[in-house]
Amino acid sequence: MFESLSEKFSSAFATLRGKGRISESDIDSITEEIRLALLDGDVALSVVDKFVARIKERSLEALPEIRKSTNQSQEIYSIVNKELIEILGGPARRIRFAKNPPTVIMLAGLQGSGKTTLAGKLALFLKEQGNTPLLVAADLQRPNAVTQLSLLADSIGVPVHAPEPGNGKGDPVSVAKSGVDFAKSKLFNIVIVDTAGRLGIDEELMKQASEIKDAVSPDEVLFVVDAMIGQDAIRTAQAFEEGVGFDAVVLTKLDGDAKGGAALSIAESTKKPILFASAGEKLTDFDYFYPDRMASRILGLGDIATLAEQAKKAIDGDTAKRLEEKFVSGEDFTLEDFLEQIQAMKKMGSMSKILGMLPGANSAAMRKQIDALDDDELIRTQAIVQSMTPTERRNPKILNGSRRSRIAKGSGRTVTEVNNLVDRFSAAQKMMKQMRSGGKLPGFPGGMPGQGGIPGIGGVGGGIGMPGAPSNKTPQKKKSRSGNPAKRAIEEGR
C-alpha cells in the first residue's frame, strides 16, 4: 500500500545524502519533496501541512547541531521518522481490559468495511492469547450477516450468540444486551459485538449504534475503517465520533493497492489511536498496529520486528532447538527438515509478503524481483519432497533414476525438476558443512557466505539454492585447436 510513498521518500533522502553540508535551502527542498509525496499519497492536506511544518521547524532548530554531525542527512532522517510515528498515533496502544469481566468490545463502521470478518479475526487473535471470547451477531440488517459470523465462529472454534436470524428481522439492541448477559453467565471474559453498518453515515445508523452502546456499556468502541477508501474514511470517522463516539480505529485491507492516505491521516485527524490492522484475507492476517514499524516500512527500512514475530509463531521452539542441535553436532540437514521449514514458511504467508518486510523492499529494483516471485514454487517443491519415502528424504543419495521417475510421477512434476531440487539441496548441504567447519566458501571472501537461498525456491538473492544462481565452480576454458593438421600435430605434441 505504501510502495509509491516509500519510493518518493527514498528518492528525497538519496538527494539529501549527496549533500556534504546541509543548509536551510536543503531543508526547504526536502520538506517540499515530502509534502508533494504525501499529497500524492492521498494524505489529508491539513495533516500534510502540520507534518511538514513540524519537520521544518525541528530541522531548523537543530541545524547548528546537525552541522556538527558526520552524517547530517541521518539527523534529518531521524526527525522525519519521529514525526511520522507521531502522526500515525505515537506509542502503540493495547486493549483496555475490564477490571470485572467480561470486557465488551463493540465494532462499528460503514457497510463493506469488513466488520464481520474482522470480528472473527479479533476473536481468533484474543483466543490465541489465552482469552475466552464470545461473538455476538447484532448485525441484523445486512443479508446473511448472522450466517457469515456463525460460519467464521465455527471455523475458529469460538462460540457465537445469535438468537435472531437477521436479514432485517429482530432487535439488535436486545441481542447485544442478551449477549453480554450470556457471557456473564457462561464466564466468557471477552464479548465482541458485531453491529450493522450502512452505505453512508445517516441518522438511523447513529441512533442504532448509540442505543447499542448505551445498552452494553462497552469498554472499547472500535471504529472499523477500510484503508482503501481514502479521504472519505476521515470524514466518516469524524462524523461518527461526533454522533456516537469511539475509542480507537481498526484499519482493514492494508494489503490493498490504494495509496494509504487514510492510514496516515486518520489518527492525526481524529486524535484517536489506531489499535489494530488487518493486512490480508486469512483470519491470521491480523495484529496490533505498531506506528514505529509502519513508519519504518514507509521510510524503506522494512519491518524486521514483525518478520521475527511471525517466524517465531510459525516455527515452534522444540523444532528450532532440534535443528540448532543438529547443526552444531554435525548431523546432515535432511529433506525431512527442509519439508518442516517449507510448512513453517507457508504459515508465515506468501514469499512476496515475507520479503516485502525486508529493508529496501519498496525500492524499484527489489520490488521488480519480488513481483517476479512465484509463490506456487513452495507448493510444487513440497509436492516433490512429500512424494519421497521417509528413507529417501533422510538419504537423498539413494535417489537413482527409477526412484526419481517415480517421485516425478507422484508429484505431477518432471524428472528435471526433481533433479534440480536434489542438486540444489546437495549444494546447500555442502555449504552448511563448510559454514560449520569455519572453512572458506568458494566465491566468498573470508569464509562469509553471501545471501544463501532455499532449495527449490526461486527469486531474490542469487545464492546457493536459488535457480539461476551463479555456480561456485569456475568452468575451465576449452583450449582451441588449430585447423591446420601440421600445426595441430605440433600443439598436441605428436
Side-chain angles (χ1 to χ4, degrees), residues 145-368:
V146 176
T147 305
Q148 182 190 353
L149 190 65
S150 299
L151 290 171
L152 281 170
D154 287 341
S155 69
I156 59 176
V158 172
V160 61
H161 179 73
E164 298 287 352
N167 298 322
K169 297 177 182 177
D171 179 14
V173 179
S174 63
V175 168
K177 194 171 181 182
S178 65
V180 174
D181 293 337
F182 179 78
K184 288 178 181 176
S185 65
K186 299 296 181 180
L187 302 179
F188 291 100
N189 76 329
I190 293 176
V191 180
I192 301 168
V193 183
D194 179 32
T195 64
R198 296 291 186 278
L199 295 176
I201 292 293
D202 55 25
E203 290 182 11
E204 189 181 354
L205 168 63
M206 295 295 189
K207 184 182 176 186
Q208 188 184 98
S210 289
E211 288 174 353
I212 293 174
K213 184 180 177 183
D214 292 340
V216 301
S217 301
D219 300 283
E220 294 276 17
V221 179
L222 305 182
F223 187 69
V224 183
V225 175
D226 181 349
M228 296 179 69
I229 65 175
Q231 296 300 307
D232 195 47
I234 299 155
R235 289 189 288 271
T236 304
Q238 288 174 335
F240 196 88
E241 167 63 13
E242 291 169 9
V244 181
F246 61 89
D247 301 303
V249 175
V250 180
L251 289 174
T252 63
K253 306 177 189 177
L254 268 179
D255 58 324
D257 56 1
K259 293 182 177 180
L264 287 168
S265 307
I266 200 160
E268 179 75 13
S269 300
T270 61
K271 302 301 179 186
K272 302 289 183 181
I274 302 172
L275 188 57
F276 291 105
S278 172
E281 294 180 359
K282 293 181 181 178
L283 292 175
T284 51
D285 294 331
F286 180 82
D287 200 357
Y288 279 117
F289 181 81
Y290 296 92
D292 55 336
R293 298 183 188 181
M294 185 58 72
S296 178
R297 292 181 73 170
I298 291 170
L299 293 175
L301 295 178
D303 189 356
I304 300 300
T306 300
L307 185 60
E309 284 178 4
Q310 289 186 359
K312 192 175 180 181
K313 286 180 185 176
I315 304 171
D316 62 90
D318 293 337
T319 303
K321 188 178 180 182
R322 180 174 57 78
L323 289 173
E324 185 183 351
E325 287 173 353
K326 200 170 188 179
F327 180 82
V328 172
S329 65
E331 288 184 60
D332 279 342
F333 179 75
T334 67
L335 282 164
E336 284 186 330
D337 301 322
F338 177 49
L339 182 60
E340 284 183 5
Q341 292 200 351
I342 290 176
Q343 290 165 344
M345 287 182 72
K346 285 176 71 179
K347 289 179 188 176
M348 290 174 66
S350 66
M351 282 297 295
S352 53
K353 184 178 177 182
I354 294 168
L355 293 173
M357 295 183 190
L358 296 175
N362 285 331
S363 66
M366 186 80 163
R367 178 52 52 188
K368 189 177 179 181

Side-chain angles (χ1 to χ4, degrees), residues 70-97:
T70 54
N71 192 347
Q72 297 183 17
S73 62
Q74 185 61 39
E75 300 298 322
I76 303 292
Y77 193 94
S78 299
I79 291 171
V80 173
N81 184 46
K82 286 177 184 175
E83 290 300 329
L84 200 52
I85 293 170
E86 196 62 34
I87 68 164
L88 285 167
R93 187 168 87 76
R94 298 291 177 266
I95 288 178
R96 294 180 302 214
F97 289 97

Side-chain angles (χ1 to χ4, degrees), residues 14 29 34 36 42 126 137 170 177 183 190 223 248 280 288 294 360 384 461 480:
S29 177
I34 290 171
L36 293 173
D42 202 25
L126 293 169
K177 194 171 181 182
I190 293 176
F223 187 69
Y288 279 117
M294 185 58 72
I384 292 173
S480 61

